[in-house]
Amino acid sequence: MPTGDTTVRALITLGLMATWMLATLGPAFGVSEPISQQVHVPLTALVFLLVGHLWGLEVNKVLSALDGVTISTGGSKDDDE
């Protein structure tokens, strides 16, 4: 069962994402008028900054979680192709 804090964070996140989606996808479906880039870019940055802060998705935490991850293509270092 979610705690009160999680419920509040989820409601705030849903509200922010709904606002952002309406501003971004609304014009494509004729629901709202397009907004200018001077408003849309800061709105996008603010929404994702707040959502990231609410859920603890800061860059340092994400990068430290990926610290031991290695990606391999299965080839050797001598492959030129």
Side-chain angles (χ1 to χ4, degrees):
M1 192 76 178
T3 63
D5 183 42
T6 304
T7 304
V8 170
R9 285 191 298 170
L11 290 174
I12 292 171
T13 300
L14 286 173
L16 288 170
M17 292 306 293
T19 302
W20 180 79
M21 287 189 312
L22 181 64
T24 302
L25 298 175
F29 296 104
V31 176
S32 65
E33 293 294 320
I35 59 174
S36 69
Q37 289 292 348
Q38 289 82 12
V39 174
H40 190 260
V41 172
L43 176 67
T44 300
L46 180 66
V47 165
F48 283 93
L49 177 75
L50 290 174
V51 169
H53 185 71
L54 282 170
W55 293 99
L57 301 173
E58 285 86 14
V59 172
N60 293 336
K61 290 182 182 179
V62 173
L63 291 178
S64 67
L66 296 175
D67 192 24
V69 175
T70 58
I71 299 173
S72 174
T73 59
S76 66
K77 291 183 180 179
D78 297 334
D79 283 345
D80 289 332
E81 297 178 285

